[in-house]
Amino acid sequence: MKKLLTFSMLLLISFGLAAQTTETSKPKKEKKAKKEKIYNEKGEIIKKGWNFGPLPVVGFRSDMGFQYGVCMDVFNYGDGSKYPGYNFKLNFEVSTYTKGSSVFRFYSYWNNIIPKGKLFVDVSYFIDKKFDFYGFNGYAAPYHKDFAIDANGMPQPDFGVKNSGFYGFSRNQFRFVSSMQQQIGNIKGFYYGAGLAYFNNYIDKLKLDAYDGQKTLYDLYCATGLIREDEKHGGNTTQVKAGLIYDTKDYENDPTRGIYAEGVFTFAPDMIDGNGRTNLSFTGVFQQYVPLYKEHLTFAYRLGFQNVLAGDISFYDMLNTNVLFFKKMYTDALGGASNVRGINRNRVIGKGFAWLNIDLRWRMVNFKLINQNWCVVLNPFFDAGMVTQTFRLDEQKEIRQILDEKFPLLSDTDVIYSGKDETPHCSGGLSLKLIMNKNFVISAEFAKAFNEFDGTGLATYIGFNYIF
């Protein structure tokens, strides 16, 4: 644990030194003359004009490995009157993880286009050579830590988790998301929201040499029909979103007080693939930030849920949370760095699901460095999530006969259905944040699942942003 904390602090410091923001150049005399006017009542430096933050991407996730690449944050603060608010923000990232994932992403927030509103645009391409897949319906799907199956269907219970590809498939995903909100009349804090989204998922069996010849859970799901023939290689998803938002947060990226609530209907018509899986879902999120001691100590929590209201859904569409705006890069199912920290990534998959996050955010130190405002935050947390709407559960229960016929060597092994009822998947941990100008958040998080069927060991996530 001490080594991980030391490593994380070194990464945070290197991030901070690399993020030396370059402002629009002005003559030195002019800067000196205006020095008295660039501080607000809290003693913070008011940022104006353009701020460019090129930096290397150096991160780590237990489930994906070390991350390295390049990133550029571009802020336009205008005349500084909105600080720490900004006119717009642009972000570019190209990075890769040592376990076979890569990221090509552009996203932007625009606060100066829609009157009394904002616009969010995200265009991303993700390559996951080993995308975690633990089966349907939470605890109904068994988890065996060191389990593997050879090409003949023979179980290898002591194969070793580092050498096992049983819980994985390959996935490439293109994602386009555009969302907006605008204040409703003169009602402060209330907004209507709307959005469009498009996903292209290409899914296939593992093709990494390290797992050559192994059968995977994905293979078993395809062979037994739990994953249908017309969805096993992914497909196209289009979405139209509409909803209501209530937002009274004091700051966008590092809030210390206020409420954020979002309720959004997502209509996904079958426009491209012709598989007949048109559906309507609802996603609700409620977040509150309660100041316990000024801006130094904040109790924050988030409640969220998502259910399919009508129609049918493909299995790969369950791997997405349909919110209008999101803090983390990935919007995948429950488990991992984006929602239920410490739980295996994508462990909690169902037609509907709910989650809870509780944070205690202690802003320990505020300081100024390289002409920026900095803050160090210590953040213990508790997370939980569970399936609330099952997906093909009856088939999952009855799959034993088909499994025995196609994979007789697995007849004594519960690899598809555990017989367990779904209960909350819980975890807890500690986070350390380094925040620049209340907008740029560097994060190191350590979390542990409370149940060994959700994952073992200490999960570590080093990257960007709060999860909410």
Side-chain angles (χ1 to χ4, degrees):
M1 180 67 178
K2 289 182 179 179
K3 290 182 179 179
L4 283 173
L5 284 171
T6 302
F7 172 70
S8 303
M9 284 301 299
L10 289 173
L11 279 180
L12 293 181
I13 292 169
S14 66
F15 268 132
L17 293 176
Q20 296 186 36
T21 309
T22 304
E23 297 186 76
T24 306
S25 60
K26 296 181 181 180
K28 291 184 178 180
K29 290 184 178 180
E30 184 181 347
K31 283 187 176 180
K32 186 174 181 180
K34 294 187 176 182
K35 187 174 181 180
E36 300 296 331
K37 300 180 181 180
I38 61 173
Y39 294 88
N40 63 16
E41 67 278 2
K42 297 178 182 179
E44 298 171 329
I45 302 170
I46 296 177
K47 310 306 295 182
K48 298 181 180 181
W50 293 87
N51 278 235
F52 297 87
L55 71 159
V57 174
V58 183
F60 177 78
R61 287 179 51 162
S62 297
D63 47 15
M64 300 173 74
F66 286 93
Q67 181 189 21
Y68 56 93
V70 292
C71 175
M72 168 74 84
D73 252 331
V74 179
F75 287 90
N76 182 284
Y77 287 98
D79 61 5
S81 61
K82 299 177 181 178
Y83 179 82
Y86 47 83
N87 287 346
F88 59 86
K89 170 189 176 180
L90 310 176
N91 177 277
F92 307 84
E93 179 176 336
V94 177
S95 63
T96 190
Y97 291 86
T98 53
K99 291 187 179 181
S101 299
S102 297
V103 175
F104 304 88
R105 189 186 185 204
F106 163 77
Y107 75 90
S108 59
Y109 276 97
W110 303 82
N111 297 317
N112 61 340
I113 293 179
I114 300 172
K116 298 181 180 179
K118 67 180 180 181
L119 175 68
F120 171 69
V121 178
D122 176 285
V123 182
S124 304
Y125 186 69
F126 303 108
I127 298 173
D128 265 296
K129 294 183 179 179
K130 188 185 179 187
F131 186 79
D132 295 333
F133 175 68
Y134 294 94
F136 300 158
N137 303 312
Y139 285 132
Y143 171 64
H144 305 282
K145 176 177 177 289
D146 299 325
F147 192 75
I149 300 176
D150 65 20
N152 298 316
M154 174 65 75
Q156 307 290 323
D158 300 316
F159 204 71
V161 67
K162 290 185 178 180
N163 301 312
S164 172
F166 185 67
Y167 295 109
F169 55 70
S170 68
R171 188 191 77 166
N172 292 357
Q173 183 189 76
F174 172 80
R175 179 182 73 194
F176 169 80
V177 176
S178 180
S179 304
M180 58 82 68
Q181 71 177 45
Q182 185 172 38
Q183 185 172 306
I184 301 174
N186 294 317
I187 308 175
K188 189 175 181 180
F190 285 93
Y191 304 83
Y192 70 85
L196 297 172
Y198 168 74
F199 299 84
N200 175 268
N201 293 287
Y202 177 73
I203 295 170
D204 206 345
K205 61 178 62 181
L206 283 178
K207 297 179 179 178
L208 293 170
D209 293 341
Y211 312 116
D212 188 40
Q214 294 185 31
K215 292 289 185 183
T216 67
L217 184 64
Y218 167 77
D219 293 327
L220 300 185
Y221 268 58
C222 291
T224 55
L226 274 175
I227 293 178
R228 311 297 195 229
E229 185 68 25
D230 64 354
E231 63 180 351
K232 70 178 184 180
H233 291 307
N236 299 281
T237 303
T238 55
Q239 296 179 337
V240 180
K241 302 178 183 182
L244 294 174
I245 296 167
Y246 178 69
D247 187 1
T248 61
K249 302 191 308 297
D250 54 354
Y251 306 120
E252 180 63 32
N253 296 306
D254 181 26
T256 64
R257 64 177 66 242
I259 290 174
Y260 179 87
E262 176 182 321
V264 57
F265 291 93
T266 300
F267 177 59
D270 177 25
M271 297 176 62
I272 301 175
D273 293 340
N275 56 27
R277 296 192 182 98
T278 292
N279 59 80
L280 176 68
S281 64
F282 181 80
T283 306
V285 176
F286 182 88
Q287 302 167 192
Q288 186 171 13
Y289 308 88
V290 182
L292 300 181
Y293 177 65
K294 299 180 180 179
E295 291 191 356
H296 301 295
L297 188 63
T298 302
F299 174 76
Y301 66 93
R302 174 174 68 171
L303 291 165
F305 71 95
Q306 180 169 299
N307 270 42
V308 176
L309 303 179
D312 196 10
I313 188 171
S314 298
F315 95 93
Y316 51 81
D317 286 329
M318 293 192 302
L319 300 171
N320 192 62
T321 306
N322 299 321
V323 291
L324 286 168
F325 305 96
F326 43 88
K327 297 290 185 186
K328 287 292 189 177
M329 178 164 50
Y330 293 100
T331 58
D332 294 323
L334 299 189
S338 298
N339 39 59
V340 189
R341 296 157 287 188
I343 305 297
N344 286 338
R345 184 170 64 139
N346 305 322
R347 175 66 174 111
V348 187
I349 298 176
K351 202 172 181 179
F353 48 86
W355 70 97
L356 166 70
N357 307 112
I358 297 175
D359 283 9
L360 185 63
R361 301 175 180 178
W362 176 29
R363 295 166 182 81
M364 298 186 298
V365 181
N366 293 284
F367 62 96
K368 297 176 183 62
L369 179 66
I370 55 174
N371 200 37
Q372 313 297 328
N373 304 298
W374 298 88
C375 180
V376 178
V377 180
L378 188 66
N379 173 196
F381 59 82
F382 170 82
D383 294 344
M386 67 179 295
V387 172
T388 58
Q389 190 180 24
T390 61
F391 181 76
R392 300 173 185 169
L393 180 60
D394 290 339
E395 295 179 42
Q396 189 176 358
K397 292 178 179 180
E398 301 298 329
I399 215 71
R400 169 65 66 185
Q401 182 178 352
I402 300 175
L403 193 66
D404 288 347
E405 292 174 357
K406 296 194 174 187
F407 300 95
L409 296 175
L410 296 177
S411 58
D412 295 328
T413 307
D414 57 338
V415 294
I416 298 290
Y417 179 62
S418 66
K420 298 180 182 294
D421 294 329
E422 177 69 334
T423 55
H425 305 246
C426 301
S427 65
L430 186 68
S431 173
L432 190 65
K433 313 288 186 189
L434 180 62
I435 303 173
M436 183 178 74
N437 298 327
K438 295 192 185 320
N439 285 311
F440 184 72
V441 182
I442 305 164
S443 172
E445 297 182 302
F446 310 91
K448 182 78 169 61
F450 293 171
N451 190 320
E452 63 179 3
F453 296 110
D454 289 324
T456 57
L458 184 70
T460 304
Y461 315 106
I462 298 176
F464 300 101
N465 296 331
Y466 284 103
I467 65 170
F468 71 99

